[in-house]
Structures are given as structure tokens and as C-alpha cells.
Amino acid sequence: MRALVVERLAPDYAGCVVKEMETPRPGPGEVLIKVRAAAVNFPDLLQTRGEYQHKPPLPFIPGLELSGEIEALGEGVDRWKVGDAVVGGARIGGFSDYALTHALALRPKPERLSFSEAAAYGAAYLTAYVALVRRAEIEPGEWLLVHGAAGGVGLAAVDLGKLLGAKVIAASASGEKLAVVQREYAPDAVVNVTDGFRERVKQFTGGRGADVIYDPVGGDVFDESVRCIAFNGRLLVVGFTSGRIPTVSVNMPLIKGFSVMGVRAGEYGRQFPEKGRENAKAVWDLANEGKIRPRVHAELPLDAWRDAFDLLADRKVIGKAIIRPDL
């Protein structure tokens, strides 16, 4: 099989190479998947540099999120059969012709979604669900400000926020991206953050500020968000794609009466397994019912992995970039 292998940790993916490898065999409780699509996420890029919290031993194959068809079953696997269309996470990563994963880590691919849409869906929408439903407990009619609204997790929050009845403000530094988001997802308002955004947010919200702020960007965006959050607001820390981890003086949450909440969807499920199962079921039920829509920005072959990585690193993606080994 061909696979993208991280042989050493280095900036600009310098330690990555596509090479031929022996196709793995599934062990007890495992399945081998013929990969049809694998989503490119920021954790994948960070892992190639050793900057993500999970650091697999070298060499490894990145690609945490995939969809495909079951090629072979390991001993004791009885919930799947060869040929089943599935989606989930991989132990031996998704940027490969074949991926090895635990049978329990998979879900049936929703019939309404293509393989690429299914690969683009799970992590982003689970993050948005845990953030908005579990952490913020957002209510219909509340104002939701979504930063990085054109990215994978941001667009998922726009989509899910609308479904939950929130009044959504989509925010981005790109007017071109915002035009696409507005056309395809119909937020209640959009704001370009390039020259600041707090006054616009206050204008949209009648001077109150946003009740919930969803921030996968960090840096200056977080700093200014503190200035336009409503009393009793919830500022959701999702990530730091800006590259700078911000800080906040605790007198600000005290005076303005807001909460800063961290969001780690996977860890939430590990800490609260029953709620984690409920979260996953809720997200996939929404997909099966066709109520929310992941957006695939581009599909690229495995040999074009660097182009796929660059699309994400250069902030050119609206939704998700997908690597398709079968192209």
C-alpha cells in the first residue's frame, strides 16, 4: 500500500514522504479499511511537527479522520462485515490506501453523505456540539459569534448554531469566504474581523454583546472577544489557529460576568463516557436525518498531500480539504 509517512518531526512537513509499505493485517478487535477519503485537520499538521498533545511514536501515518469500506476483519469482530461503508478514526492513519482501526471506533457512513462529506463531518460537528450544547448550553434566540467561520470547526458551529435556534454572527478575516458562508449557510450576520469587530458585534446585538463566542482562533481575536461578550456570556476556547495562546486578566470575567470555557470534545467523552456516547449519537443522527451539511472544499489525491496541507495552513479552505487515495 502507499501511505504518507512522518519519518521525523520538522516544520513545513519536511519529515513527510509518500512511500510503499506492507499492508497491515487486522488483529483481534480490529478492522482493515480501504480508505476512500480522509479529512485534513489542524491536528494532522501539528502532529507532523510534534506540536499536538498526542504524539505517536515515529514513524507514523497521519490522518485522524476517514471514511471507507471494510476490507478485512480481525478475530472477534462480529458487528461489521467486509464491504460495509464506515466512518471514524484510525490507529494507523487515514492518509494511506488502507487504515487499521478498532472496530468499536467506527460508525456506519450516513447514506445522505458522500465518502468525502462523511470524512469531513465527525470531528468538526462533534466539537461544535460539545461546545454549544454541553459547555455553553446555548438557548434559542441567543446571539452566537463564531470566529474562523469558514474553517472546518467554525463552519460546523455556524451550521449547528442555526439549527439550535441561535442568532449567528459568522466572523472571518476574508470577505470572499464570508460571502460563501452567507450564501450557503445563511447566518444572521457576518463580520470581517480584519479591522476589528467588537463595535459591529455590539451593533448587531443591540449593545448587549454576544451571549456565546466560539473561538478556534485565539490571539488577537480572543482579546477583542472579551470586549464584546454579553453579561453571563460564555467564551468557548476551541483552539489557537492564530498561533498565539492568549491570556485574560481575571478582573474582566469578574466585572463583565462571563465564563471562559475550554472545549475538548474527545476528552469530554473520555471523562463522561455516557454523555460522550449521547453526543456521538446526536451528531450522527443529525447527519442521517440530513439536518446539517458538511462542506468539502477540495478533494486531492494522496500524491498531492502537500497541496492539501497548504490549503489548510494558508487559510484557503472553506470547510474541509479531503485526501482521496483512490484518485
Side-chain angles (χ1 to χ4, degrees):
M1 71 176 193
R2 294 182 314 142
L4 176 64
V5 181
V6 180
E7 297 185 321
R8 60 185 177 87
L9 304 178
D12 300 325
Y13 340 124
C16 302
V17 61
V18 174
K19 60 191 304 184
E20 291 286 340
M21 301 180 65
E22 183 178 351
T23 302
R25 296 176 179 270
E30 296 179 335
V31 297
L32 183 68
I33 299 170
K34 172 66 175 174
V35 179
R36 295 287 300 274
V40 182
N41 295 298
F42 267 103
D44 297 312
L45 275 63
L46 295 174
Q47 277 192 344
T48 70
R49 304 195 294 261
E51 296 175 357
Y52 192 59
Q53 53 259 37
H54 173 59
K55 297 177 173 61
L58 295 169
F60 68 90
I61 303 168
L64 300 173
E65 192 175 22
L66 61 86
S67 66
E69 295 156 325
I70 292 181
E71 183 80 7
L73 304 173
E75 181 183 350
V77 176
D78 55 11
R79 63 179 299 184
W80 303 109
K81 65 181 184 298
V82 172
D84 282 347
V86 293
V87 63
R91 185 168 67 80
I92 294 180
F95 301 153
S96 174
D97 291 323
Y98 294 93
L100 196 64
T101 191
H102 296 289
L104 295 176
L106 299 172
R107 285 185 169 270
K109 182 185 77 66
E111 292 185 4
R112 293 175 181 268
L113 301 183
S114 68
F115 281 102
S116 291
E117 289 171 332
Y121 179 75
Y125 278 85
L126 184 62
T127 297
Y129 186 89
V130 170
L132 300 182
V133 176
R134 294 298 192 181
R135 300 295 282 139
E137 298 181 349
I138 197 166
E139 297 286 344
E142 287 193 307
W143 281 99
L144 167 64
L145 172 61
V146 178
H147 289 298
V153 294
L155 199 56
V158 171
D159 197 11
L160 182 60
K162 290 284 293 183
L163 182 67
L164 294 172
K167 292 181 286 189
V168 178
I169 305 170
S172 170
S174 167
E176 182 178 353
K177 290 181 180 179
L178 285 173
V180 174
V181 174
Q182 191 167 36
R183 181 175 68 249
E184 297 185 14
Y185 289 83
D188 297 273
V190 298
V191 60
N192 191 313
V193 303
T194 303
D195 296 318
F197 56 87
R198 62 179 177 176
E199 294 305 324
R200 294 291 306 284
V201 171
K202 289 181 179 179
Q203 179 184 356
F204 293 140
T205 60
R208 171 178 169 77
D211 299 290
V212 178
I213 299 179
Y214 182 94
D215 180 18
V217 180
D220 295 344
V221 161
F222 178 94
D223 295 341
E224 191 166 354
S225 293
V226 170
R227 306 291 178 177
C228 62
I229 191 167
F231 191 87
N232 200 39
R234 288 84 81 200
L235 205 171
L236 298 163
V237 179
V238 182
F240 314 104
T241 60
S242 69
R244 178 172 72 84
I245 298 176
T247 58
V248 61
S249 298
V250 294
N251 65 311
M252 295 299 292
L254 172 63
I255 294 169
K256 301 194 70 175
F258 69 87
S259 302
V260 179
M261 298 178 168
V263 179
R264 290 181 62 197
E267 186 61 24
Y268 186 95
R270 286 184 286 272
Q271 293 290 332
F272 308 108
E274 182 59 34
K275 291 181 179 178
R277 287 188 286 272
E278 292 172 1
N279 297 341
K281 182 180 185 303
V283 166
W284 289 102
D285 283 350
L286 292 174
N288 282 315
E289 294 163 5
K291 291 183 177 179
I292 41 186
R293 299 174 295 117
R295 186 180 194 276
V296 174
H297 180 88
E299 298 172 294
L300 297 98
L302 182 60
D303 287 337
W305 66 269
R306 182 176 289 275
D307 294 333
F309 277 28
D310 285 343
L311 280 173
L312 190 61
D314 296 340
R315 309 290 199 273
K316 295 180 179 178
V317 174
I318 306 174
K320 286 286 188 76
I322 300 295
I323 290 177
R324 283 187 50 189
D326 58 351
L327 288 179

